[in-house]
PDB file of all heavy atoms in Angstrom:
ATOM      1  N   SER A   5     -39.109 -98.969  72.484  1.00 44.00           N
ATOM      2  CA  SER A   5     -39.724 -98.445  71.293  1.00 44.00           C
ATOM      3  C   SER A   5     -39.385 -96.992  71.039  1.00 44.00           C
ATOM      4  O   SER A   5     -39.470 -96.485  69.926  1.00 44.00           O
ATOM      5  CB  SER A   5     -41.251 -98.598  71.333  1.00 44.00           C
ATOM      6  OG  SER A   5     -41.745 -97.951  72.468  1.00 44.00           O
ATOM      7  N   ALA A   6     -39.050 -96.215  72.091  1.00 53.00           N
ATOM      8  CA  ALA A   6     -38.731 -94.786  71.944  1.00 53.00           C
ATOM      9  C   ALA A   6     -37.447 -94.641  71.117  1.00 53.00           C
ATOM     10  O   ALA A   6     -36.440 -95.267  71.434  1.00 53.00           O
ATOM     11  CB  ALA A   6     -38.629 -94.147  73.319  1.00 53.00           C
ATOM     12  N   PRO A   7     -37.460 -93.788  70.104  1.00 69.00           N
ATOM     13  CA  PRO A   7     -36.222 -93.597  69.318  1.00 69.00           C
ATOM     14  C   PRO A   7     -35.211 -92.784  70.094  1.00 69.00           C
ATOM     15  O   PRO A   7     -35.480 -92.123  71.070  1.00 69.00           O
ATOM     16  CB  PRO A   7     -36.732 -92.795  68.126  1.00 69.00           C
ATOM     17  CG  PRO A   7     -37.954 -92.104  68.628  1.00 69.00           C
ATOM     18  CD  PRO A   7     -38.572 -92.992  69.646  1.00 69.00           C
ATOM     19  N   VAL A   8     -33.955 -92.900  69.650  1.00 74.00           N
ATOM     20  CA  VAL A   8     -32.849 -92.162  70.258  1.00 74.00           C
ATOM     21  C   VAL A   8     -32.181 -91.320  69.185  1.00 74.00           C
ATOM     22  O   VAL A   8     -32.288 -91.613  67.997  1.00 74.00           O
ATOM     23  CB  VAL A   8     -31.827 -93.100  70.889  1.00 74.00           C
ATOM     24  CG1 VAL A   8     -32.448 -93.870  72.064  1.00 74.00           C
ATOM     25  CG2 VAL A   8     -31.271 -94.074  69.914  1.00 74.00           C
ATOM     26  N   ILE A   9     -31.515 -90.282  69.631  1.00 78.00           N
ATOM     27  CA  ILE A   9     -30.810 -89.379  68.666  1.00 78.00           C
ATOM     28  C   ILE A   9     -29.376 -89.848  68.497  1.00 78.00           C
ATOM     29  O   ILE A   9     -28.707 -90.118  69.481  1.00 78.00           O
ATOM     30  CB  ILE A   9     -30.824 -87.940  69.153  1.00 78.00           C
ATOM     31  CG1 ILE A   9     -32.279 -87.430  69.329  1.00 78.00           C
ATOM     32  CG2 ILE A   9     -30.058 -87.016  68.208  1.00 78.00           C
ATOM     33  CD1 ILE A   9     -33.057 -87.412  68.033  1.00 78.00           C
ATOM     34  N   ARG A  10     -28.971 -89.980  67.237  1.00 83.00           N
ATOM     35  CA  ARG A  10     -27.590 -90.288  66.940  1.00 83.00           C
ATOM     36  C   ARG A  10     -27.068 -89.183  66.038  1.00 83.00           C
ATOM     37  O   ARG A  10     -27.678 -88.757  65.089  1.00 83.00           O
ATOM     38  CB  ARG A  10     -27.488 -91.610  66.175  1.00 83.00           C
ATOM     39  CG  ARG A  10     -27.825 -92.803  67.120  1.00 83.00           C
ATOM     40  CD  ARG A  10     -26.701 -93.030  68.101  1.00 83.00           C
ATOM     41  NE  ARG A  10     -26.991 -94.054  69.067  1.00 83.00           N
ATOM     42  CZ  ARG A  10     -27.532 -93.901  70.250  1.00 83.00           C
ATOM     43  NH1 ARG A  10     -27.842 -92.631  70.640  1.00 83.00           N
ATOM     44  NH2 ARG A  10     -27.807 -94.894  71.053  1.00 83.00           N
ATOM     45  N   GLU A  11     -25.856 -88.677  66.406  1.00 82.00           N
ATOM     46  CA  GLU A  11     -25.321 -87.508  65.699  1.00 82.00           C
ATOM     47  C   GLU A  11     -23.790 -87.558  65.641  1.00 82.00           C
ATOM     48  O   GLU A  11     -23.155 -88.298  66.479  1.00 82.00           O
ATOM     49  CB  GLU A  11     -25.759 -86.206  66.367  1.00 82.00           C
ATOM     50  CG  GLU A  11     -25.304 -86.125  67.795  1.00 82.00           C
ATOM     51  CD  GLU A  11     -25.983 -84.925  68.571  1.00 82.00           C
ATOM     52  OE1 GLU A  11     -26.442 -84.033  67.839  1.00 82.00           O
ATOM     53  OE2 GLU A  11     -26.085 -84.942  69.783  1.00 82.00           O
ATOM     54  N   ALA A  12     -23.241 -86.823  64.726  1.00 82.00           N
ATOM     55  CA  ALA A  12     -21.756 -86.808  64.588  1.00 82.00           C
ATOM     56  C   ALA A  12     -21.131 -86.101  65.774  1.00 82.00           C
ATOM     57  O   ALA A  12     -21.700 -85.129  66.261  1.00 82.00           O
ATOM     58  CB  ALA A  12     -21.429 -86.106  63.288  1.00 82.00           C
ATOM     59  N   GLY A  13     -20.034 -86.576  66.229  1.00 71.00           N
ATOM     60  CA  GLY A  13     -19.303 -85.961  67.311  1.00 71.00           C
ATOM     61  C   GLY A  13     -19.891 -86.380  68.677  1.00 71.00           C
ATOM     62  O   GLY A  13     -20.986 -86.811  68.772  1.00 71.00           O
ATOM     63  N   GLY A  14     -19.093 -86.150  69.698  1.00 63.00           N
ATOM     64  CA  GLY A  14     -19.590 -86.389  71.043  1.00 63.00           C
ATOM     65  C   GLY A  14     -19.716 -87.907  71.320  1.00 63.00           C
ATOM     66  O   GLY A  14     -19.123 -88.748  70.621  1.00 63.00           O
ATOM     67  N   ASP A  15     -20.476 -88.239  72.383  1.00 62.00           N
ATOM     68  CA  ASP A  15     -20.562 -89.612  72.839  1.00 62.00           C
ATOM     69  C   ASP A  15     -21.841 -90.270  72.426  1.00 62.00           C
ATOM     70  O   ASP A  15     -22.279 -91.274  72.963  1.00 62.00           O
ATOM     71  CB  ASP A  15     -20.480 -89.620  74.407  1.00 62.00           C
ATOM     72  CG  ASP A  15     -19.089 -89.237  74.852  1.00 62.00           C
ATOM     73  OD1 ASP A  15     -18.159 -89.358  74.023  1.00 62.00           O
ATOM     74  OD2 ASP A  15     -18.955 -88.861  76.031  1.00 62.00           O
ATOM     75  N   ARG A  16     -22.555 -89.703  71.423  1.00 73.00           N
ATOM     76  CA  ARG A  16     -23.821 -90.309  70.923  1.00 73.00           C
ATOM     77  C   ARG A  16     -23.654 -90.581  69.441  1.00 73.00           C
ATOM     78  O   ARG A  16     -24.660 -90.431  68.690  1.00 73.00           O
ATOM     79  CB  ARG A  16     -25.017 -89.419  71.237  1.00 73.00           C
ATOM     80  CG  ARG A  16     -25.307 -89.366  72.728  1.00 73.00           C
ATOM     81  CD  ARG A  16     -26.484 -88.410  72.999  1.00 73.00           C
ATOM     82  NE  ARG A  16     -26.770 -88.409  74.409  1.00 73.00           N
ATOM     83  CZ  ARG A  16     -27.534 -89.289  75.053  1.00 73.00           C
ATOM     84  NH1 ARG A  16     -28.150 -90.220  74.386  1.00 73.00           N
ATOM     85  NH2 ARG A  16     -27.731 -89.199  76.376  1.00 73.00           N
ATOM     86  N   SER A  17     -22.540 -90.977  69.051  1.00 80.00           N
ATOM     87  CA  SER A  17     -22.312 -91.200  67.615  1.00 80.00           C
ATOM     88  C   SER A  17     -22.316 -92.694  67.218  1.00 80.00           C
ATOM     89  O   SER A  17     -22.358 -93.023  66.015  1.00 80.00           O
ATOM     90  CB  SER A  17     -20.953 -90.568  67.209  1.00 80.00           C
ATOM     91  OG  SER A  17     -19.863 -91.195  67.905  1.00 80.00           O
ATOM     92  N   ALA A  18     -22.264 -93.532  68.172  1.00 81.00           N
ATOM     93  CA  ALA A  18     -22.141 -95.000  67.872  1.00 81.00           C
ATOM     94  C   ALA A  18     -23.507 -95.516  67.424  1.00 81.00           C
ATOM     95  O   ALA A  18     -24.507 -95.251  68.010  1.00 81.00           O
ATOM     96  CB  ALA A  18     -21.682 -95.766  69.107  1.00 81.00           C
ATOM     97  N   VAL A  19     -23.514 -96.316  66.322  1.00 83.00           N
ATOM     98  CA  VAL A  19     -24.708 -96.953  65.857  1.00 83.00           C
ATOM     99  C   VAL A  19     -24.399 -98.456  65.677  1.00 83.00           C
ATOM    100  O   VAL A  19     -23.268 -98.895  65.473  1.00 83.00           O
ATOM    101  CB  VAL A  19     -25.165 -96.334  64.504  1.00 83.00           C
ATOM    102  CG1 VAL A  19     -25.679 -94.954  64.738  1.00 83.00           C
ATOM    103  CG2 VAL A  19     -24.047 -96.387  63.479  1.00 83.00           C
ATOM    104  N   THR A  20     -25.543 -99.243  65.740  1.00 79.00           N
ATOM    105  CA  THR A  20     -25.409-100.693  65.730  1.00 79.00           C
ATOM    106  C   THR A  20     -26.108-101.293  64.556  1.00 79.00           C
ATOM    107  O   THR A  20     -27.287-100.817  64.242  1.00 79.00           O
ATOM    108  CB  THR A  20     -25.992-101.273  67.009  1.00 79.00           C
ATOM    109  OG1 THR A  20     -25.257-100.703  68.123  1.00 79.00           O
ATOM    110  CG2 THR A  20     -25.743-102.796  67.100  1.00 79.00           C
ATOM    111  N   ALA A  21     -25.555-102.306  63.954  1.00 80.00           N
ATOM    112  CA  ALA A  21     -26.170-102.974  62.803  1.00 80.00           C
ATOM    113  C   ALA A  21     -27.593-103.484  63.182  1.00 80.00           C
ATOM    114  O   ALA A  21     -27.744-104.003  64.272  1.00 80.00           O
ATOM    115  CB  ALA A  21     -25.293-104.086  62.332  1.00 80.00           C
ATOM    116  N   GLY A  22     -28.518-103.391  62.265  1.00 75.00           N
ATOM    117  CA  GLY A  22     -29.857-103.920  62.515  1.00 75.00           C
ATOM    118  C   GLY A  22     -30.816-102.957  63.084  1.00 75.00           C
ATOM    119  O   GLY A  22     -32.020-103.228  63.194  1.00 75.00           O
ATOM    120  N   THR A  23     -30.338-101.730  63.502  1.00 80.00           N
ATOM    121  CA  THR A  23     -31.294-100.709  63.977  1.00 80.00           C
ATOM    122  C   THR A  23     -31.715 -99.795  62.833  1.00 80.00           C
ATOM    123  O   THR A  23     -31.032 -99.767  61.815  1.00 80.00           O
ATOM    124  CB  THR A  23     -30.587 -99.854  65.080  1.00 80.00           C
ATOM    125  OG1 THR A  23     -29.381 -99.273  64.590  1.00 80.00           O
ATOM    126  CG2 THR A  23     -30.228-100.777  66.285  1.00 80.00           C
ATOM    127  N   ARG A  24     -32.825 -99.157  63.026  1.00 82.00           N
ATOM    128  CA  ARG A  24     -33.458 -98.456  61.879  1.00 82.00           C
ATOM    129  C   ARG A  24     -33.480 -96.967  62.069  1.00 82.00           C
ATOM    130  O   ARG A  24     -33.874 -96.490  63.170  1.00 82.00           O
ATOM    131  CB  ARG A  24     -34.928 -98.961  61.671  1.00 82.00           C
ATOM    132  CG  ARG A  24     -35.544 -98.460  60.411  1.00 82.00           C
ATOM    133  CD  ARG A  24     -36.988 -98.965  60.298  1.00 82.00           C
ATOM    134  NE  ARG A  24     -37.031-100.396  60.168  1.00 82.00           N
ATOM    135  CZ  ARG A  24     -36.894-101.052  59.025  1.00 82.00           C
ATOM    136  NH1 ARG A  24     -36.665-100.372  57.892  1.00 82.00           N
ATOM    137  NH2 ARG A  24     -36.985-102.349  58.957  1.00 82.00           N
ATOM    138  N   VAL A  25     -33.119 -96.245  61.006  1.00 87.00           N
ATOM    139  CA  VAL A  25     -33.202 -94.743  60.976  1.00 87.00           C
ATOM    140  C   VAL A  25     -34.673 -94.397  60.688  1.00 87.00           C
ATOM    141  O   VAL A  25     -35.241 -94.894  59.711  1.00 87.00           O
ATOM    142  CB  VAL A  25     -32.269 -94.123  59.970  1.00 87.00           C
ATOM    143  CG1 VAL A  25     -32.589 -92.650  59.835  1.00 87.00           C
ATOM    144  CG2 VAL A  25     -30.804 -94.336  60.426  1.00 87.00           C
ATOM    145  N   ILE A  26     -35.310 -93.571  61.519  1.00 83.00           N
ATOM    146  CA  ILE A  26     -36.713 -93.288  61.340  1.00 83.00           C
ATOM    147  C   ILE A  26     -36.941 -91.821  60.954  1.00 83.00           C
ATOM    148  O   ILE A  26     -38.063 -91.407  60.656  1.00 83.00           O
ATOM    149  CB  ILE A  26     -37.577 -93.655  62.582  1.00 83.00           C
ATOM    150  CG1 ILE A  26     -37.051 -92.884  63.785  1.00 83.00           C
ATOM    151  CG2 ILE A  26     -37.549 -95.112  62.806  1.00 83.00           C
ATOM    152  CD1 ILE A  26     -37.939 -93.098  65.042  1.00 83.00           C
ATOM    153  N   SER A  27     -35.883 -91.031  60.940  1.00 77.00           N
ATOM    154  CA  SER A  27     -36.032 -89.658  60.432  1.00 77.00           C
ATOM    155  C   SER A  27     -34.646 -89.143  59.985  1.00 77.00           C
ATOM    156  O   SER A  27     -33.667 -89.567  60.522  1.00 77.00           O
ATOM    157  CB  SER A  27     -36.596 -88.691  61.467  1.00 77.00           C
ATOM    158  OG  SER A  27     -35.684 -88.381  62.472  1.00 77.00           O
ATOM    159  N   ASP A  28     -34.671 -88.239  58.991  1.00 81.00           N
ATOM    160  CA  ASP A  28     -33.446 -87.637  58.478  1.00 81.00           C
ATOM    161  C   ASP A  28     -32.490 -88.646  57.865  1.00 81.00           C
ATOM    162  O   ASP A  28     -32.928 -89.762  57.537  1.00 81.00           O
ATOM    163  CB  ASP A  28     -32.798 -86.818  59.605  1.00 81.00           C
ATOM    164  CG  ASP A  28     -33.701 -85.831  60.212  1.00 81.00           C
ATOM    165  OD1 ASP A  28     -34.135 -84.887  59.552  1.00 81.00           O
ATOM    166  OD2 ASP A  28     -34.050 -85.972  61.425  1.00 81.00           O
ATOM    167  N   GLN A  29     -31.278 -88.267  57.727  1.00 86.00           N
ATOM    168  CA  GLN A  29     -30.230 -89.194  57.212  1.00 86.00           C
ATOM    169  C   GLN A  29     -28.874 -88.903  57.848  1.00 86.00           C
ATOM    170  O   GLN A  29     -28.610 -87.811  58.355  1.00 86.00           O
ATOM    171  CB  GLN A  29     -30.149 -89.039  55.705  1.00 86.00           C
ATOM    172  CG  GLN A  29     -29.589 -87.711  55.199  1.00 86.00           C
ATOM    173  CD  GLN A  29     -29.458 -87.624  53.732  1.00 86.00           C
ATOM    174  OE1 GLN A  29     -30.198 -88.271  52.987  1.00 86.00           O
ATOM    175  NE2 GLN A  29     -28.471 -86.903  53.259  1.00 86.00           N
ATOM    176  N   ILE A  30     -28.080 -89.956  57.872  1.00 90.00           N
ATOM    177  CA  ILE A  30     -26.732 -89.855  58.458  1.00 90.00           C
ATOM    178  C   ILE A  30     -25.731 -90.553  57.588  1.00 90.00           C
ATOM    179  O   ILE A  30     -26.071 -91.439  56.801  1.00 90.00           O
ATOM    180  CB  ILE A  30     -26.678 -90.467  59.886  1.00 90.00           C
ATOM    181  CG1 ILE A  30     -27.301 -91.839  59.903  1.00 90.00           C
ATOM    182  CG2 ILE A  30     -27.335 -89.566  60.894  1.00 90.00           C
ATOM    183  CD1 ILE A  30     -27.235 -92.556  61.244  1.00 90.00           C
ATOM    184  N   LYS A  31     -24.504 -90.112  57.715  1.00 91.00           N
ATOM    185  CA  LYS A  31     -23.371 -90.861  57.028  1.00 91.00           C
ATOM    186  C   LYS A  31     -22.636 -91.569  58.173  1.00 91.00           C
ATOM    187  O   LYS A  31     -22.320 -90.980  59.188  1.00 91.00           O
ATOM    188  CB  LYS A  31     -22.507 -89.879  56.309  1.00 91.00           C
ATOM    189  CG  LYS A  31     -23.110 -89.320  55.002  1.00 91.00           C
ATOM    190  CD  LYS A  31     -22.175 -88.377  54.284  1.00 91.00           C
ATOM    191  CE  LYS A  31     -22.896 -87.754  53.088  1.00 91.00           C
ATOM    192  NZ  LYS A  31     -22.020 -86.824  52.341  1.00 91.00           N
ATOM    193  N   VAL A  32     -22.363 -92.866  57.940  1.00 92.00           N
ATOM    194  CA  VAL A  32     -21.788 -93.688  58.968  1.00 92.00           C
ATOM    195  C   VAL A  32     -20.464 -94.293  58.448  1.00 92.00           C
ATOM    196  O   VAL A  32     -20.407 -94.821  57.351  1.00 92.00           O
ATOM    197  CB  VAL A  32     -22.743 -94.836  59.399  1.00 92.00           C
ATOM    198  CG1 VAL A  32     -22.066 -95.770  60.369  1.00 92.00           C
ATOM    199  CG2 VAL A  32     -24.050 -94.251  59.923  1.00 92.00           C
ATOM    200  N   ARG A  33     -19.455 -94.144  59.360  1.00 91.00           N
ATOM    201  CA  ARG A  33     -18.171 -94.800  58.996  1.00 91.00           C
ATOM    202  C   ARG A  33     -18.163 -96.179  59.685  1.00 91.00           C
ATOM    203  O   ARG A  33     -18.299 -96.309  60.866  1.00 91.00           O
ATOM    204  CB  ARG A  33     -16.974 -94.015  59.470  1.00 91.00           C
ATOM    205  CG  ARG A  33     -15.613 -94.640  59.114  1.00 91.00           C
ATOM    206  CD  ARG A  33     -14.415 -93.813  59.537  1.00 91.00           C
ATOM    207  NE  ARG A  33     -14.384 -93.600  60.985  1.00 91.00           N
ATOM    208  CZ  ARG A  33     -14.519 -92.412  61.549  1.00 91.00           C
ATOM    209  NH1 ARG A  33     -14.719 -91.336  60.798  1.00 91.00           N
ATOM    210  NH2 ARG A  33     -14.459 -92.260  62.842  1.00 91.00           N
ATOM    211  N   VAL A  34     -18.001 -97.246  58.909  1.00 90.00           N
ATOM    212  CA  VAL A  34     -18.021 -98.608  59.440  1.00 90.00           C
ATOM    213  C   VAL A  34     -16.781 -98.787  60.259  1.00 90.00           C
ATOM    214  O   VAL A  34     -15.653 -98.425  59.851  1.00 90.00           O
ATOM    215  CB  VAL A  34     -18.083 -99.611  58.257  1.00 90.00           C
ATOM    216  CG1 VAL A  34     -18.010-101.038  58.763  1.00 90.00           C
ATOM    217  CG2 VAL A  34     -19.337 -99.420  57.452  1.00 90.00           C
TER     218      VAL A  34
END
């Protein structure tokens, strides 16, 4: 249940379909 940070650059940029953004906004390249 604990959220994780996703950000541009580095090794924490990958996001998966079906997960939910709970704060701020991001632009994602498919």
Side-chain angles (χ1 to χ4, degrees):
S5 57
V8 296
I9 300 298
R10 291 289 177 265
E11 58 189 341
D15 291 340
R16 292 180 177 271
S17 61
V19 291
T20 304
T23 57
R24 187 181 298 276
V25 171
I26 59 175
S27 74
D28 305 296
Q29 66 178 31
I30 50 177
K31 291 180 182 178
V32 176
R33 182 177 61 246
V34 177

